[in-house]
Each structure stands twice: as structure tokens, then as C-alpha cells.
Amino acid sequence: MRSLEQVLADGIRDIPDYPQQGVVFKDITPLLADHTGFAQVVEALAAAGTDDDGNPVVDKVVGIEARGFILAAPVALALGAGFVPVRKKGKLPAATYEESYALEYGEATIEVHQDAFTPGDRVLVIDDVLATGGTVEACLRLIRRCEAEVAGTAVLLELSFLPGRKRLEGEQLSSLLTV
Ligand SMILES: O=P(O)(O)OC[C@H]1O[C@H](OP(=O)(O)OP(=O)(O)O)[C@H](O)[C@@H]1O
Ligand SMILES: Nc1ncnc2[nH]cnc12
């Protein structure tokens, strides 16, 4: 079996100047197409939702649209937890809470259904990339507005030249790879 480091090195590629000049886009599609690598990554992300003995300790796993969905849904199944989608504005059909934020390349608003959690639910947030941290920060605000408890956040890739980790100081944050 390849190491996780090797899987990540093989599966994440740089696309310069996408979606705009000066941004180096981290493309995870090669990783997703690698069946065994994808499985290793899901297992590694799911570890953020377990205790020291490997037992699951979360009730819900949140995935952030769109790339976060791809990773969070299998993590939820691996942990025996429910999956909750946090979506871009205008996509969820029932009553929502919404939060706006800035990204490396623009602005966005995300929403969650107001009844997505049972108060006190322990929630693990999963996303692909942590850049400025705006997306995850907004997502944590949504979860807390629902009176659920943030158990932690796990991302595939953290961009250390951007202030994501600093912005999430005090939060439980794990990343499989930091560049
Ligand atoms: O830390 P931040 O600066 O907030 O950036 C990270 C976010 O940016 C990307 O999402 P994007 O909105 O581009 O959407 P996508 O998943 O739909 O491609 C990525 O999937 C993260 O959610
Ligand atoms: N450089 C980047 N590559 C991929 N996803 C991102 N989300 C925010 N910044 C990103």
C-alpha cells in the first residue's frame, strides 16, 4: 500500500491561473479517480471523528458544497454518522440559516437547513481545501446557530501561505497535507 503522503502527492495537481490570474488551483480530481487512494483519504479524514481507541464520536458530518460533499459523504458512512449538506445560497428547499464570506477568488453565501441538527449534536466538518478559512469559519457559524456542537474540522489540503489556520485559532483543525 502507498503511504498517504504518496497518495496525496500523486493525486493533487496544480493548475496555474485558475479560476483567475495569480491563483494556483489545487485540483483533486486525479485523487478522486484513484480508487485505493480515495479510500485511504476517506479513512484518514474519518479519524478526526474518532476517539483515541478509534471509536466514532460524532453524530453528524457536514460537507460544504461542492467538493466537500465528495469527501464528507463517505466519511459520514465510515463513522456511522448522518450527513448534512451545507450548500451555496438558493439550493436548499426548507427554512435555512445563511452566512456570507470572502474566498481567495470571490465571495459566497452558504446555507444550512435550520432543522439539520438535533441541538447538542456533535459535528465534524469536512472540506477539500482550507485557504483563507472564510468558508469553514462561516460553516462553523451556521452549525452553532443550529445549537449543535462543533467537534472538529478536517481538510485534505491546507494552504499555509493563506491565513486559514490563524483565522480558525481555538478550533480543532486537522489537515492531511499542508503546502
Ligand atoms: O478557505 P477558503 O478561502 O474559504 O476557501 C476554501 C473553499 O474554496 C473552495 O470552494 P469553492 O467555493 O471554490 O467551491 P466548489 O467546492 O464548489 O468548487 C474549497 O472547496 C473550499 O470550500
Ligand atoms: N487555490 C485553491 N485551490 C483549490 N481550491 C481552493 N479554494 C480556495 N483556494 C483554492
Side-chain angles (χ1 to χ4, degrees):
M1 191 169 83
R2 284 168 296 163
S3 66
L4 184 62
E5 290 69 25
Q6 191 60 52
V7 164
L8 295 168
D10 291 345
I12 303 176
R13 63 182 173 185
D14 285 356
I15 310 290
D17 298 324
Y18 182 89
Q20 64 193 39
Q21 196 77 17
V23 173
V24 178
F25 191 85
K26 300 290 184 180
D27 178 25
I28 64 165
T29 59
L31 171 57
L32 300 175
D34 166 10
H35 167 229
T36 54
F38 189 10
Q40 273 175 261
V41 160
V42 168
E43 189 182 335
L45 289 170
T50 63
D51 63 17
D52 291 343
D53 298 322
N55 299 311
V57 292
V58 296
D59 304 297
K60 301 271 167 51
V61 176
V62 161
I64 307 175
E65 186 175 4
R67 283 171 273 155
F69 287 176
I70 301 165
L71 300 169
V75 167
L77 293 177
L79 290 170
F83 172 75
V84 172
V86 162
R87 298 208 62 178
K88 302 278 164 56
K89 187 176 170 60
K91 299 288 187 180
L92 287 170
T96 63
Y97 293 122
E98 67 176 57
E99 292 282 344
S100 298
Y101 57 98
L103 300 131
E104 201 183 352
Y105 39 71
E107 286 179 7
T109 300
I110 51 174
E111 296 183 313
V112 72
H113 275 147
Q114 291 182 7
D115 62 358
F117 305 100
T118 302
D121 267 355
R122 294 159 302 171
V123 181
L124 174 65
V125 175
I126 299 286
D127 207 357
D128 63 333
V129 175
L130 180 77
T132 66
T135 307
V136 167
E137 193 181 48
C139 182
L140 302 190
R141 288 199 299 270
L142 287 176
I143 293 165
R144 290 176 173 136
R145 284 176 70 182
C146 293
E147 294 173 37
E149 183 190 319
V150 176
T153 298
V155 298
L156 191 59
L157 176 64
E158 176 181 343
L159 305 181
S160 61
F161 53 89
L162 290 168
R165 183 165 286 272
K166 176 108 190 82
R167 195 159 171 177
L168 295 172
E169 228 163 44
E171 306 288 352
Q172 191 68 39
L173 171 66
S174 57
S175 47
L176 303 189
L177 177 66
T178 302
V179 296

